[in-house]
């Protein structure tokens, strides 16, 4: 039981940070040279994206602004890696199918929260990228466990 206390607390704290920064966009302005990128502030408007890979594929192909595409892709994957790593430390019977379900559920929760709080638009591509992050975290756990 004591071995699960630290990962449990870490997962709760990390989840709170994810909700704060991903859902409520509490990310400061990033300045690189003369360029400034502001990620927080006003909410996005527009129709929901229900078509898988609609925004991901053009970004992977290099269409649009490269830095913004990288920030979008990595910003939707990297923050979710700890979730995939911490959950199996708490729930010892974690398997790949359970991880995929957790991964999709986690991404879906974030998107639904954005819609409920009217701080963003629903984007199925974000769910896919968030899920990929959770799965990468679980894969890293499996590698390190051996």
């Amino acid at each position: 039981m004591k071995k699960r206390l630290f990962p449990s607390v870490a997962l709760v704290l990390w989840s709170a940070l994810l909700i704060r920064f991903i859902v409520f966009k509490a990310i400061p302005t990033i300045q690189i040279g003369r360029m400034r990128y502001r990620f927080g502030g006003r909410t996005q408007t527009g129709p929901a994206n229900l078509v898988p890979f609609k925004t991901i594929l053009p970004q992977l192909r290099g269409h649009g602004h490269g830095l913004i595409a990288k920030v979008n892709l990595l910003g939707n994957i990297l923050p979710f890696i700890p979730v995939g790593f911490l959950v199996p430390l708490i729930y010892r019977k974690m398997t790949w199918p359970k991880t995929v379900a957790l991964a999709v559920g986690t991404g879906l929760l974030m998107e639904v929260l954005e819609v409920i709080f009217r701080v963003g638009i629903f984007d199925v591509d974000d769910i896919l990228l968030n899920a990929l992050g959770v799965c990468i975290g679980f894969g890293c756990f499996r590698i390190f466990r051996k």
Side-chain angles (χ1 to χ4, degrees):
M1 181 67 177
K2 289 184 181 181
K3 288 184 179 182
R4 295 181 186 173
L5 180 61
F6 177 74
S8 297
V9 170
L11 182 63
V12 168
L13 292 175
W14 190 255
S15 298
L17 285 172
L18 278 178
I19 291 170
R20 176 71 174 123
F21 287 105
I22 302 293
V23 175
F24 295 109
K25 314 282 190 273
I27 302 171
T29 301
I30 296 173
Q31 184 170 347
I32 302 172
R34 291 183 174 179
M35 297 185 289
R36 293 180 123 182
Y37 297 96
R38 186 166 182 255
F39 297 98
R42 303 295 298 170
T43 62
Q44 293 177 315
T45 58
N49 173 27
L50 303 175
V51 180
F53 303 105
K54 183 178 179 181
T55 56
I56 296 173
L57 286 179
Q59 291 175 346
L60 290 174
R61 291 181 181 144
H63 301 279
H65 195 276
L67 182 59
I68 297 214
K70 288 175 187 172
V71 167
N72 179 53
L73 293 171
L74 294 176
N76 277 303
I77 295 171
L78 294 178
F80 291 87
I81 291 174
V83 174
F85 195 89
L86 290 170
V87 168
L89 291 172
I90 300 163
Y91 180 66
R92 306 292 169 128
K93 296 179 181 179
M94 202 66 178
T95 62
W96 275 109
K98 290 176 184 177
T99 299
V100 171
L102 170 71
V104 172
T106 302
L108 183 61
L109 175 66
M110 292 296 173
E111 292 303 304
V112 168
L113 287 174
E114 284 184 353
V115 171
I116 289 172
F117 290 110
R118 297 181 181 177
V119 293
I121 59 171
F122 186 90
D123 190 346
V124 72
D125 287 343
D126 288 350
I127 295 171
L128 295 172
L129 293 170
N130 298 163
L132 177 60
V134 174
C135 290
I136 289 170
F138 182 68
C140 291
F141 170 81
R142 297 278 303 253
I143 290 169
F144 288 120
R145 186 180 71 172
K146 292 180 181 182

